[in-house]
Amino acid sequence: MGNGEGSAPYAAQDAAEFSEAMRRLKERSGLTYRQLEEKAAGQGEPLPRSTLANALTGRSLPRPELLAAFVRACGEGDRAADWARARNLLADRSRTGTPPSPVAPSPPPPPSPKPGLRTAWRAARRTPALLALTALLTAAALTIATVWTPASSDRAPGTAAPPLPTGPVLLHPLSAPDLCLTDGHVPDGRYDSLVAVQRPCDEVAPQRTRLIPAGGGLYRIEWFRPDQGKGCLAARYEGPAAGLLEPQNDCGGATRLHAEHAPTHGSTAYAFRAEATHRCLTINAPATPKSRESGKSAEAVAGTEAVLTPCATRPNQLFRITKTPLPSQ
């Protein structure tokens, strides 16, 4: 990778990129220098904010003890050993003059967002009245929905991708083109809050989806519901929600995604790859009694949840983008 783009330490190829990875980790934590210092002190570790600021803006590797305290204060204590290993490898290369080479990644994905950031969307329920409103609003919206078509739909692979649409969109998994990515509950009932699932497109409203630029060619998937406000999808990696994507109100801490065009699968086909990883947004496809009973492939069953899995350009990892006007338009 070598461009310091992500917060993953194994992406860094030199000290400057390692400092940039640390800055991204701080941004994701949402904490100020003072808050990091206080949190580290509460854990019995010194983390002077002036020293940390120098480490995050300098071009030399941080001291091992400073790095460990910083990573733990950011909430990634389970990855402290990975950060230390990446730092030590860069230090060894600097001493021996060994050319940079990719560090073999074995870290888990980034930590789950803090519970306090998910207040408005947590434990939301669809009532019969809301379902009735859903059908009414969506009937009008989908009647006038138009497929976003780039100017050059026969563009050759490898050339620049057309810009993503602005405004409300629908994301149709290629493995289930009649369904759309939206909010819902996991079918096994292991988690009671709304997460990303695929459901019939006429059940999406009043929830609206937008692709919000997040800098560096990255996007966040933003949802809006009149009764819940805005929420951006964030991957969860622990507890009963492990593996799921849940909307959280603080979009700054949500999962950032590369939108990677797949023109061989259609002019509007995209894969969404999580920042600094090789994991893509995927419609989960384990065989279930429901899929066997319906005779459909597992990834085509309504209610199937979205997860992040290793990218493989499969139909259940590709999404067609449909631009949808607001119901009032």
Side-chain angles (χ1 to χ4, degrees):
M1 298 175 64
N3 58 2
E5 175 180 276
S7 63
Y10 55 81
Q13 295 293 288
D14 55 30
E17 291 185 4
F18 195 84
S19 294
E20 184 176 349
M22 292 177 66
R23 290 196 298 273
R24 287 187 178 274
L25 175 57
K26 176 183 176 295
E27 291 172 4
R28 193 169 69 239
S29 76
L31 300 175
T32 64
Y33 285 107
R34 181 182 294 276
Q35 290 170 329
L36 287 169
E37 182 181 37
E38 293 173 348
K39 188 171 180 181
Q43 298 171 346
E45 297 178 297
L47 187 62
R49 55 183 180 272
S50 59
T51 306
L52 178 59
N54 289 335
L56 267 61
T57 57
R59 292 187 175 274
S60 59
L61 293 171
R63 299 192 315 274
E65 62 272 17
L66 179 83
L67 175 63
F70 168 70
V71 172
R72 282 190 281 269
C74 287
E76 289 204 3
D78 57 341
R79 298 187 63 200
D82 295 304
W83 280 86
R85 175 173 174 266
R87 181 241 178 242
N88 292 338
L89 283 172
L90 288 174
D92 290 342
R93 290 177 192 153
S94 178
R95 284 192 297 268
T96 62
T98 304
S101 60
V103 182
S106 59
S112 301
K114 296 186 284 296
L117 300 180
R118 298 179 290 111
T119 52
W121 282 74
R122 187 165 183 78
R125 291 291 188 275
R126 290 187 178 274
T127 63
L130 180 56
L131 289 174
L133 177 62
T134 291
L136 180 62
L137 292 176
T138 308
L142 292 184
T143 301
I144 56 175
T146 57
V147 176
W148 174 66
T149 305
S152 54
S153 60
D154 58 349
R155 186 177 54 83
T159 58
L164 292 182
T166 58
V169 298
L170 294 175
L171 301 179
H172 306 263
L174 262 62
S175 55
D178 294 331
L179 303 178
C180 288
L181 188 72
T182 185
D183 55 343
H185 296 282
V186 288
D188 59 14
R190 71 181 185 275
Y191 194 56
D192 62 356
S193 291
L194 293 171
V195 295
V197 303
Q198 62 179 11
R199 292 194 290 110
C201 296
D202 60 1
E203 296 180 9
V204 171
Q207 182 265 313
R208 297 195 298 270
T209 298
R210 293 176 186 265
L211 300 173
I212 304 299
L218 296 162
Y219 292 83
R220 294 186 180 95
I221 297 178
E222 178 193 275
W223 287 349
F224 174 81
R225 285 172 54 103
D227 59 335
Q228 297 286 340
K230 290 181 181 179
C232 292
L233 288 187
R236 306 284 293 170
Y237 298 104
E238 58 188 27
L244 302 175
L245 290 110
E246 182 179 32
Q248 68 174 49
N249 295 113
D250 182 359
C251 287
T255 300
R256 305 200 308 174
L257 302 160
H258 295 273
E260 299 181 341
H261 194 214
T264 56
H265 293 267
S267 61
T268 59
Y270 281 81
F272 292 95
R273 178 172 59 83
E275 177 186 14
T277 73
H278 294 287
R279 302 176 74 83
C280 289
L281 185 65
T282 307
I283 299 301
N284 202 18
T288 64
K290 184 176 180 180
S291 65
R292 288 191 290 267
E293 180 180 340
S294 66
K296 296 181 179 179
S297 61
E299 65 268 20
V301 175
T304 303
E305 65 269 24
V307 295
L308 292 177
T309 64
C311 300
T313 321
R314 301 188 302 268
N316 63 331
Q317 290 187 334
L318 296 173
F319 295 82
R320 180 171 57 89
I321 301 174
T322 300
K323 188 172 182 178
T324 308
L326 295 174
S328 60
Q329 292 181 319

